[in-house]
Amino acid sequence: MFKDKVIVLTGAGSGIGRELALQFAAAGARLALSDVNQQGLDQTLAMLAAGGCTTARGYALDVSSKEAFYAHAEDVQRDFGTAHYVINNAGATVFGTVAHTSIEEYEWQLGINMWGVLYGTKAFLPMMLAQKEGCIVNLSSVFGLLAFPTQSAYNMSKFAVRGLTECLWRELEGTGVRAVCVHPGGIKTNIEKGARVCAEATEEDRIFSSQSDRLLKTPPQDCAADIIRGLQSGKNRILTGHASSAIQWLTRVFPNSYPSILKRVGW
């Protein structure tokens, strides 16, 4: 399914992105990998080369820049001819209650997680529609299914990614292009290490933030494998990671009262 297909993958310098790159390479894919962290991206490329992969190229990319993302699409088309899969994986987070998170901190976070996904979708969709083949894979989160204290910026972005992708389900019918929404839950990546805490954070903000760390249990390689299996089986929504299925059902069965339930269980 992936042999000789061109896979565009953002956030490939660590975590889920790196594991996806390694597993797609093992499946014979051609890889256009990007990250804003050049050092992390170089490490991923070195790991691929050590494994015998000769069909991967790296690109420095700030996904929050529309101009940079559209230029990236042109570079990929120049270097690979086209794109078959675009995986909008790059992400970041900022901890803080709504009262204490500044507008500038929201803008930084939404620029990466929300606008970055839209830019990636818009930049590559035309070539996929033209060839009547392709797949847009957008990484939302279990926090795109439920809201969590001190995660309002992250929640906003991941709910937006979910909404965008679900719109594409209907809009892309009959085009040969499909869209997939991924909801990782509790994946032990570097996102918590690179997370920002809002400048005006109080001790209450920090306590709430530490509670979300309890979810981070699933290794990123397991998440990557789940995503690949989901794509192979034709799913349009992929749940993966610790508590992801439980969270989905919790929000469906108790859409109005799940915050109090989470509080009772210590989340």
Side-chain angles (χ1 to χ4, degrees), residues 62-261:
D62 175 2
V63 298
S64 68
S65 167
K66 179 179 70 173
E67 293 75 17
F69 223 140
Y70 276 67
H72 179 53
E74 293 177 358
D75 290 342
V76 170
Q77 193 165 33
R78 178 199 65 211
D79 295 337
F80 290 89
T82 190
H84 299 102
Y85 292 83
V86 173
I87 303 179
N88 290 307
N89 165 72
T93 191
V94 57
F95 294 110
T97 59
V98 176
H100 298 138
T101 303
S102 69
I103 291 296
E104 292 74 20
E105 288 164 331
Y106 277 106
E107 289 173 339
W108 169 78
Q109 204 277 333
L110 295 173
I112 299 169
N113 286 19
M114 185 184 73
W115 287 108
V117 170
L118 180 60
Y119 297 154
T121 299
K122 289 285 288 179
F124 285 94
L125 187 57
M127 70 179 77
M128 291 184 170
L129 291 172
Q131 68 195 13
K132 298 182 179 180
E133 178 188 1
C135 183
I136 302 286
V137 183
N138 292 333
L139 268 77
S140 178
S141 167
V142 291
F143 284 179
L145 299 170
L146 62 73
F148 197 88
T150 71
Q151 290 290 308
S152 61
Y154 194 75
N155 281 139
M156 287 171 67
S157 66
K158 295 305 186 179
F159 271 82
V161 168
R162 174 187 171 189
L164 169 67
T165 312
E166 291 182 9
C167 282
L168 289 170
W169 290 349
R170 179 72 180 275
E171 293 179 359
L172 294 177
E173 286 180 0
T175 66
V177 183
R178 67 189 182 107
V180 177
C181 193
V182 182
H183 295 276
I187 311 301
K188 191 66 176 175
T189 67
N190 288 331
I191 191 169
E192 81 282 0
K193 295 179 181 178
R196 294 187 183 183
V197 178
C198 70
E200 301 297 325
T202 65
E203 185 60 28
E204 181 184 24
D205 293 278
R206 298 180 189 280
I207 291 172
F208 273 132
S209 299
S210 66
Q211 289 173 347
S212 65
D213 290 344
R214 300 178 188 178
L215 291 169
L216 305 178
K217 295 183 178 181
T218 303
Q221 57 265 36
D222 292 353
C223 174
D226 285 343
I227 292 171
I228 289 175
R229 281 193 293 267
L231 293 175
Q232 290 171 327
S233 64
K235 291 182 177 180
N236 60 8
R237 188 190 310 281
I238 299 172
L239 297 170
T240 175
H242 175 65
S244 56
S245 294
I247 287 172
Q248 182 197 36
W249 282 107
L250 177 66
T251 57
R252 292 178 66 180
V253 177
F254 302 103
N256 299 319
S257 59
Y258 74 78
S260 61
I261 295 173

Side-chain angles (χ1 to χ4, degrees), residues 17-41:
R18 174 175 288 172
E19 291 300 330
L20 281 169
L22 295 171
Q23 294 183 36
F24 277 127
R30 302 164 65 201
L31 303 174
L33 308 177
S34 64
D35 204 291
V36 72
N37 180 344
Q38 187 65 53
Q39 182 179 6
L41 181 60

